Amino acid sequence: MKQVKCALTIAGTDPSGGAGIHADLKTFQELKAYGMSVITSVVAQNTTGVQAVHHIPLDMIEKQLDSVINDMPIHAFKTGMIAHIDMMQVIKKKIESLNVPYVMDPVMVAASGDPLIARESQQYLRDELLPLTYVVTPNIPEAEVITGMAIQTEDDMKQAAKLIVNTYGAHAALVKGGHFSGDATDFLYDGEQIHRLTTKRIDTKNSHGTGCTLSAAITAYLAQGENLVNAVIKAKDYITQAIRYSFDLGSGSGPTNHWAPRMNEVTQIESKNH
């Protein structure tokens, strides 16, 4: 029997089902990875935004991590919302000995532009957790926080991706262009090459949980042994279809469709030497 590939997510919840742990587990299941989770925060949120947050006690986060690490195989894992430094320290202690790909969704800035974690926590995440990552997946505001640079053009996106790897120590960086107009273009820097990934932008307001879903898809593909570039290409195709067939649910930005057909979109990729 083929070995089951296992993926772990360490993140907050979303009772409306579109983001966070809920989106991650749906994505893992859809992409045939066995999903496991460690909850950092219980979040009251829906398509209109976040209403309240309750952080899980540190000893309970540690016990959740121990329960999984001591009993289950982990072939890749991701982190999402990690609210403060104390949480990050507990998580770092547990994950730095895991010799498997680590995908970081650096949840730092809300869609409104408001910071989601304090400045000192942002710095700790950048300085202490980022160097452990196999790939980090910031959107433009998050990449600006990490690098301290303004990102206004595609060339800026490329420069930010290189800075995140060459200066801040990530193995690879995927800077996402969802905040720009025109085609949905992302740039992946793997330490050697810049890869340009482009799909047609889909005209919809329903994008709740896209960052969680994309990073979870990358994690699922890496868990199954895909190389980095293939994992990112396949994950981008997956999130494109999830957005294309998104659900018009709720009164805000509706959720993506985690079991959407994924057949007709082909990502165009160009690779250039750095």
Side-chain angles (χ1 to χ4, degrees), residues 201-207 242-248 253-254:
R201 187 173 298 275
I202 297 164
D203 184 16
T204 179
K205 68 179 178 64
N206 299 327
S207 58
I243 296 170
R244 181 180 302 280
Y245 298 101
S246 60
F247 295 112
D248 193 20
S253 175

Side-chain angles (χ1 to χ4, degrees), residues 131-182:
L132 302 177
T133 61
Y134 188 65
V135 61
V136 59
T137 63
N139 58 30
I140 287 171
E142 290 161 348
E144 289 179 330
V145 169
I146 293 170
T147 62
M149 64 178 285
I151 301 174
Q152 299 177 330
T153 67
E154 289 191 352
D155 284 342
D156 291 340
M157 293 173 66
K158 297 175 192 178
Q159 183 182 350
K162 290 180 179 179
L163 271 175
I164 290 169
V165 173
N166 297 332
T167 300
Y168 296 107
H171 175 81
L174 176 68
V175 178
K176 302 176 295 187
H179 287 71
F180 284 170
S181 58

Side-chain angles (χ1 to χ4, degrees), residues 9-263:
T9 172
I10 305 167
T13 67
D14 175 9
S16 71
I21 289 279
H22 298 72
D24 294 343
L25 292 176
K26 290 177 181 180
T27 302
F28 293 164
Q29 184 77 8
E30 180 66 18
L31 300 181
K32 300 179 174 58
Y34 180 82
M36 306 173 291
S37 65
V38 169
I39 295 171
T40 58
S41 301
V42 177
V43 184
Q45 67 171 307
N46 54 29
T47 63
T48 68
V50 174
Q51 291 79 49
V53 180
H54 171 72
H55 300 314
I56 301 298
L58 296 178
D59 65 335
M60 189 60 186
I61 294 174
E62 183 171 17
K63 287 173 182 175
Q64 289 180 82
L65 285 162
D66 285 339
S67 293
V68 176
I69 292 169
N70 294 338
D71 187 52
M72 304 292 282
I74 300 171
H75 298 103
F77 68 96
K78 64 158 284 189
T79 58
M81 178 181 177
I82 311 174
H84 54 72
I85 289 176
D86 290 344
M87 278 187 190
M88 295 177 190
Q89 290 173 334
V90 169
I91 291 167
K92 181 188 177 188
K93 181 176 68 173
K94 297 297 180 180
I95 67 174
E96 56 189 352
S97 62
L98 296 177
N99 189 28
V100 297
Y102 168 21
V103 179
M104 177 193 284
D105 180 11
V107 181
M108 293 179 167
V109 183
S112 62
D114 295 324
L116 293 174
I117 60 177
R119 184 178 298 274
E120 59 269 21
S121 298
Q122 293 173 352
Q123 183 174 341
Y124 186 93
L125 183 144
R126 183 191 68 191
D127 295 345
E128 300 296 332
L129 291 182
L130 193 61
L132 302 177
T133 61
Y134 188 65
V135 61
V136 59
T137 63
N139 58 30
I140 287 171
E142 290 161 348
E144 289 179 330
V145 169
I146 293 170
T147 62
M149 64 178 285
I151 301 174
Q152 299 177 330
T153 67
E154 289 191 352
D155 284 342
D156 291 340
M157 293 173 66
K158 297 175 192 178
Q159 183 182 350
K162 290 180 179 179
L163 271 175
I164 290 169
V165 173
N166 297 332
T167 300
Y168 296 107
H171 175 81
L174 176 68
V175 178
K176 302 176 295 187
H179 287 71
F180 284 170
S181 58
D183 289 344
T185 298
D186 308 330
F187 290 96
L188 172 68
Y189 180 58
D190 62 8
E192 296 182 355
Q193 291 182 305
I194 286 280
H195 307 272
R196 187 178 194 269
L197 294 86
T198 299
T199 55
K200 294 295 183 182
R201 187 173 298 275
I202 297 164
D203 184 16
T204 179
K205 68 179 178 64
N206 299 327
S207 58
H208 181 55
T210 52
C212 305
T213 299
L214 175 64
S215 57
I218 295 170
T219 306
Y221 285 123
L222 290 174
Q224 295 177 66
E226 291 283 357
N227 67 45
L228 175 64
V229 175
N230 284 345
V232 172
I233 292 172
K234 288 185 174 184
K236 186 170 174 67
D237 287 341
Y238 175 73
I239 190 58
T240 299
Q241 293 305 312
I243 296 170
R244 181 180 302 280
Y245 298 101
S246 60
F247 295 112
D248 193 20
L249 294 172
S251 54
S253 175
T256 60
N257 181 349
H258 294 96
W259 40 267
R262 305 182 304 282
M263 298 180 65

